[in-house]
Amino acid sequence: MQKSGKVFAFLAIVVFFLIYAATRLPRLDSDIISTDSVYWHNRSENFLEGIQTKNYILTFQKYHPGVTLMWLMAGTAHFASLVKNTTYDQVFLDFEGIEYFTKLTLVSWQFILSIFLIYLLSKTLRNFWVSFFTVLLFNIEPFYVGNSRLIHHDAQISLYIMIAFCLVYLFFEKAREDKFDYASLMLSAFFLAIAALSKTLFMGAFLFAFSVINVLFLLEKKSKVAFKFGLMYLFSYFLFYYALFPALWVDFSGVLKQIFFESYDTSEGGGHLQILFGEVTRDPGPLFYILLLITKTSLVGLVGIFLFIFQTIFKKLQVVIKNGLKSTKQQVNFLNFLTIFYVAYFLLICYFNKKVDRYTITLYPFLALIAVYGWNIFYQSLRQKALLFASSLLLFIISFYTILLPMIKIFPHYLTYVNPVFGDASDSNKIIGQKLFGIGIFDLRDKIIKHFGDSTSVAINDIGPLQSIYPKGRVYNVLVEHPNSYKVLVLGPNKDLPKSVKTEKIIKFKQVDSVYINGLEFWRIYKKTI
């Protein structure tokens, strides 16, 4: 890269940092407390206790181990305890404090990973600007932004997988020339190990990389290189997986058996209730993820993906028409390599009964890459300045309309993002039912305090998030407690009055306020009148 190019690249990274900070830091302390985050507080405290007391079996909390997240949260809590000169259990008692500082740790970690990915993609693709705009695009997709602000796994995993694939493919390219970059190989194994330590399903990412790279070596008649690669990659992966998961140190076979059996049972036989076109189901089918990606992805991404697919098919047809089918054979390049994995991953999550919107987050770096390729190929095909200007203006308009404007409008509730072409959250709720997940829980708490004070009794469907930030009050499960037990009733989207309230002849509730998010009446607040 020339000196002027390096200057522009540096300025681009500065711009990326400013955009990243603007979309991650504001209201990070008061945007959302997900239902799962409450569990991860408890799990991380147990994890830290297991490390400090050497009772390592405590580091195993769930069939999706979440080890990476617990290391980050436990590490944050331990550091806070040293700074405050107190015990870690006292740190965990300050729920909002440890929640905020863990989020800061996570978004900082994800920023570092994003910069590293720009570097690796630029080496793999040999194009800095395609790499830069790819990472920028998925980092400003509002639905991705919302997930990256959670204490959860999916945004991290999306980065781990793409980074690992870049590293292993770079190793492959060098090894073809008998240059063995062991650092890249071991780093790839490390990132795939922590992806699997986050969610067991992503052991498949390692099996994919291990198998495909081995096959590519064998096709090039490099059996010795394949053997050396396979041995080193397998050893590095299991070394990191074992070393970072202390529960394995005391019960290796027992922990792994429980992880695999429970993961399969939950994914295949269990699942979350979803609402698709008004129908409640535990298996909404593959249409769920297709509709989700279409409605939750900006026009910049959707149009770019369309341009890429259209232009790729068009080119293939041109070659076939000109030279016949034999000419379509080509070597598996990096984009083909990624496509095989991500298509397989998409088909797999469509197959499993358990459908969760967050599972699509892993796809976003790949979708951003092909979208940027689509736009890039399109721009390269334009010859007239007028067309270039018109296309640039169009890109600016759809970026403003489907990314910037919605992010300002729905700030900071990015999990409720809907591509404006399809309306708002109220419209999308008719397609895929909106989940509660602690969205807008701080806004709800403020409304409750405004009307009823900070120590009233409240019944709600999503207990954990409100209970964690409303400590003076009593928070009940609306489906379990009788209306005698509480004074305030809160219902979320798609939640009807509980049977105990409907059948009660004396006790009545009157709606006094609502929390609206992205056009949807998200939380309805009722006061007991009798």
Side-chain angles (χ1 to χ4, degrees):
M1 188 182 288
Q2 295 180 347
K3 188 175 181 180
S4 59
K6 289 181 178 179
V7 171
F8 283 119
F10 174 75
L11 292 174
I13 296 299
V14 171
V15 170
F16 178 80
F17 168 74
L18 295 174
I19 293 173
Y20 188 90
T23 55
R24 296 321 193 273
L25 299 182
R27 272 199 68 177
L28 189 62
D29 61 334
S30 60
D31 60 342
I32 182 173
I33 293 177
S34 75
T35 309
D36 290 349
S37 178
V38 179
Y39 301 135
W40 288 113
H41 277 250
N42 295 330
R43 290 166 185 160
S44 297
E45 185 173 5
N46 290 336
F47 185 90
L48 185 54
E49 181 185 349
I51 296 294
Q52 295 199 338
T53 62
K54 297 184 180 180
N55 185 12
Y56 297 126
I57 200 65
L58 288 178
T59 62
F60 176 44
Q61 307 283 321
K62 196 174 188 288
Y63 63 91
H64 282 325
V67 173
T68 313
L69 183 58
M70 290 190 291
W71 272 117
L72 288 167
M73 193 170 205
T76 302
H78 180 65
F79 178 75
S81 70
L82 294 176
V83 171
K84 294 182 178 182
N85 193 26
T86 186
T87 58
Y88 69 85
D89 54 333
Q90 288 297 314
V91 171
F92 275 105
L93 285 175
D94 179 12
F95 187 96
E96 290 185 53
I98 190 62
E99 174 86 4
Y100 174 55
F101 286 114
T102 301
K103 284 183 176 180
L104 277 177
T105 301
L106 282 169
V107 298
S108 300
W109 172 232
Q110 287 164 186
F111 174 75
I112 293 168
L113 292 173
S114 295
I115 295 299
F116 189 35
L117 181 56
I118 292 173
Y119 167 74
L120 290 174
L121 270 177
S122 65
K123 288 186 70 175
T124 311
L125 303 175
R126 296 177 179 84
N127 188 320
F128 171 80
W129 292 108
V130 168
S131 307
F132 172 78
F133 283 113
T134 294
V135 179
L136 175 65
L137 178 56
F138 73 75
N139 268 293
I140 60 172
E141 281 285 352
F143 187 59
Y144 186 92
V145 173
N147 278 275
S148 71
R149 291 165 62 107
L150 292 175
I151 293 183
H152 224 291
H153 318 287
D154 304 279
Q156 296 176 69
I157 291 171
S158 71
L159 290 161
Y160 298 154
I161 298 297
M162 186 64 87
I163 286 171
F165 285 168
C166 285
L167 286 163
V168 76
Y169 198 84
L170 286 170
F171 172 86
F172 166 70
E173 287 193 323
K174 289 182 180 180
R176 292 169 67 194
E177 301 171 2
D178 295 325
K179 298 174 184 176
F180 295 93
D181 184 359
Y182 291 114
S184 292
L185 188 67
M186 292 188 71
L187 266 179
S188 175
F190 168 76
F191 282 109
L192 289 176
I194 61 176
L197 284 172
S198 299
K199 282 190 177 180
T200 305
L201 174 65
F202 291 98
M203 282 189 172
F206 171 76
L207 293 174
F208 169 80
F210 178 84
S211 303
V212 172
I213 298 298
N214 258 313
V215 168
L216 291 177
F217 279 133
L218 292 173
L219 288 174
E220 296 196 0
K221 299 181 179 179
K222 291 183 176 290
S223 56
K224 290 183 179 179
V225 176
F227 177 76
K228 190 186 296 186
F229 158 78
L231 191 64
M232 188 70 179
Y233 205 35
L234 198 62
F235 174 78
S236 301
Y237 177 80
F238 281 110
L239 175 66
F240 289 123
Y241 191 90
Y242 180 80
L244 292 171
F245 195 179
L248 295 177
W249 307 349
V250 292
D251 188 9
F252 185 84
S253 60
V255 168
L256 286 182
K257 281 180 184 177
Q258 192 171 345
I259 285 173
F260 290 129
F261 287 132
E262 288 189 19
S263 295
Y264 178 79
D265 288 343
T266 304
S267 298
E268 177 58 18
H272 288 291
L273 285 175
Q274 297 289 351
I275 301 174
L276 188 67
F277 295 118
E279 295 293 326
V280 180
T281 176
R282 283 195 178 274
D283 184 11
L287 189 61
F288 176 83
Y289 286 124
I290 295 169
L291 290 171
L292 188 77
L293 285 170
I294 291 173
T295 56
K296 292 286 190 181
T297 306
S298 72
L299 270 185
V300 180
L302 291 177
V303 173
I305 292 166
F306 170 79
L307 288 171
F308 176 81
I309 294 171
F310 175 79
Q311 290 166 126
T312 301
I313 293 173
F314 182 71
K315 275 188 175 182
K316 293 287 185 186
L317 287 174
Q318 279 186 317
V319 173
V320 169
I321 291 169
K322 186 177 180 180
N323 303 314
L325 288 172
K326 290 184 180 179
S327 62
T328 61
K329 292 181 180 179
Q330 63 177 31
Q331 183 185 6
V332 177
N333 59 28
F334 182 60
L335 190 57
N336 300 143
F337 175 76
L338 292 180
T339 302
I340 296 168
F341 173 78
Y342 284 102
V343 169
Y345 171 76
F346 180 72
L347 293 175
L348 188 64
I349 61 174
C350 285
Y351 168 76
F352 285 133
N353 291 340
K354 185 179 179 181
K355 304 283 194 301
V356 181
D357 57 4
R358 297 186 312 278
Y359 291 0
T360 59
I361 291 301
T362 303
L363 296 164
Y364 270 77
F366 172 69
L367 295 177
L369 176 60
I370 62 175
V372 169
Y373 262 126
W375 282 106
N376 187 46
I377 296 168
F378 174 69
Y379 273 105
Q380 287 180 352
S381 68
L382 300 177
R383 296 289 181 262
Q384 297 178 14
K385 290 184 178 180
L387 288 175
L388 279 169
F389 175 77
S391 300
S392 299
L393 182 61
L394 174 64
L395 180 57
F396 172 79
I397 291 171
I398 64 175
S399 299
F400 179 82
Y401 177 60
T402 66
I403 296 179
L404 181 59
L405 204 57
M407 291 189 82
I408 295 171
K409 180 183 175 184
I410 67 175
F411 167 81
H413 308 301
Y414 299 128
L415 287 181
T416 65
Y417 170 79
V418 180
N419 187 326
V421 171
F422 302 99
D424 57 19
S426 180
D427 297 309
S428 72
N429 187 53
K430 298 170 187 174
I431 303 171
I432 296 176
Q434 176 65 53
K435 306 296 283 186
L436 303 179
F437 211 55
I439 296 169
I441 201 69
F442 286 93
D443 304 69
L444 173 63
R445 180 190 65 176
D446 293 344
K447 293 261 189 181
I448 292 172
I449 292 174
K450 175 185 173 183
H451 289 286
F452 310 104
D454 63 354
S455 56
T456 192
S457 53
V458 183
I460 190 172
N461 295 91
D462 205 6
I463 306 170
L466 181 61
Q467 195 172 46
S468 63
I469 60 171
Y470 192 64
K472 293 182 181 179
R474 286 163 293 167
V475 182
Y476 298 110
N477 186 334
V478 71
L479 298 177
V480 174
E481 290 295 326
H482 189 274
N484 279 330
S485 304
Y486 52 85
K487 297 177 181 178
V488 180
L489 171 65
V490 177
L491 298 174
N494 308 306
K495 301 298 181 183
D496 200 2
L497 286 170
K499 187 177 179 181
S500 59
V501 173
K502 285 182 177 179
T503 57
E504 178 59 52
K505 295 179 180 179
I506 299 175
I507 300 173
K508 303 297 178 184
F509 285 86
K510 177 184 177 182
Q511 186 171 352
V512 294
D513 208 342
S514 297
V515 176
Y516 280 85
I517 300 175
N518 194 14
L520 176 65
E521 188 179 25
F522 205 96
W523 298 110
R524 289 165 284 149
I525 306 171
Y526 298 82
K527 175 185 177 182
K528 185 188 289 186
T529 57
I530 299 177

